[in-house]
Amino acid sequence: AQKVTQAQTEISVVEKEDVTLDCVYETRDTTYYLFWYKQPPSGELVFLIRRNSFDEQNEISGRYSWNFQKSTSSFNFTITASQVVDSAVYFCALDNYGQNFVFGPGTRLSVLP
Amino acid sequence: EPEVTQTPSHQVTQMGQEVILRCVPISNHLYFYWYRQILGQKVEFLVSFYNNEISEKSEIFDDQFSVERPDGSNFTLKIRSTKLEDSAMYFCASRETDSSGANVLTFGAGSRLTVL
């Protein structure tokens, strides 16, 4: 069975701090994809990144970076120099080429000015 | 950039009424989905649809729910005899499989259903 765990329910940081959102997944499959989605207060789901299970290279995109470690089944997301506009709920998700994604419960990030 | 469009953005209905939520997926996508998010909770899979039929559904998607693609562009979710616990945000998504083989879901902005 597939499962995604985001142990941090809520995180609050002060603007310009770095923050890391944790994601741990479970799957029996050797081929799968991992995703992060952002849900701002307006409610829509915004795709941020995908990684495939064969590529453990970390990725940086502006202030965002992702650390994929297959050995620990983790796919953590770091925001550097956080901004108030980063305040949102962030969902980690897993897809094993099945028919649907499995989402984690989400982490609510509040960036305070 | 292509997007998934959902209507209405918010619907208020009385318990026991039928509701139809509409979605226009991205035109060249072949797989369509409905997800549900009860306020403050996780995003839950309801149903996937491919080639004009349901390909997978969750235990949430019982006989109260149905989906169809009536005209080749719209993708609808019908909820019969709504209950208070059906109050949620309903997200439509469509899927492309890009050149890497990844299944990237593009979500609509959601339809908020409030059942009174």
Side-chain angles (χ1 to χ4, degrees), chain B residues 37-53:
Chain B
Q37 185 183 31
I38 295 171
L39 185 64
Q41 298 187 24
K42 67 190 295 183
V43 180
E44 300 174 294
F45 169 72
L46 291 178
V47 65
S48 59
F49 192 86
Y50 171 72
N51 200 25
N52 286 322
E53 60 183 25

Side-chain angles (χ1 to χ4, degrees), chain A residues 33 37 39 50 95 99 101, chain B residues 33 37 56 98 103 105:
Chain A
Y33 284 87
Y37 282 82
Q39 187 175 42
R50 71 168 180 272
D95 173 37
Q99 297 294 325
F101 282 30
Chain B
Y33 301 79
Q37 185 183 31
E56 188 174 357
D98 67 11
N103 297 317
L105 284 184

Side-chain angles (χ1 to χ4, degrees), chain A residues 40-103:
Chain A
S42 51
E44 70 271 26
L45 286 166
V46 179
F47 166 73
L48 294 178
I49 191 174
R50 71 168 180 272
R51 301 296 283 172
N52 75 56
S53 52
F54 298 109
D55 183 2
E56 291 189 68
Q57 188 173 14
N58 293 330
E59 184 162 337
I60 298 174
S61 175
R63 295 184 299 107
Y64 295 168
S65 62
W66 290 269
N67 184 342
F68 175 31
Q69 295 204 354
K70 209 168 177 178
S71 60
T72 56
S73 297
S74 66
F75 184 44
N76 296 336
F77 172 30
T78 298
I79 302 174
T80 303
S82 59
Q83 301 175 359
V84 173
V85 294
D86 295 327
S87 296
V89 180
Y90 291 85
F91 292 97
C92 182
L94 169 69
D95 173 37
N96 69 343
Y97 285 88
Q99 297 294 325
N100 73 82
F101 282 30
V102 174
F103 282 86

Side-chain angles (χ1 to χ4, degrees), chain B residues 54-98:
Chain B
I54 291 173
S55 53
E56 188 174 357
K57 60 183 181 179
S58 72
E59 62 270 15
I60 302 170
F61 194 88
D62 59 21
D63 292 343
Q64 185 193 5
F65 296 90
S66 62
V67 290
E68 64 174 359
R69 197 149 190 247
D71 57 12
S73 61
N74 289 287
F75 177 51
T76 62
L77 173 68
K78 182 188 290 185
I79 309 174
R80 288 179 281 274
S81 189
T82 50
K83 299 175 283 193
L84 295 177
E85 53 265 38
D86 294 327
S87 295
M89 180 76 92
Y90 289 82
F91 289 101
C92 175
S94 67
R95 175 163 69 96
E96 65 172 336
T97 299
D98 67 11

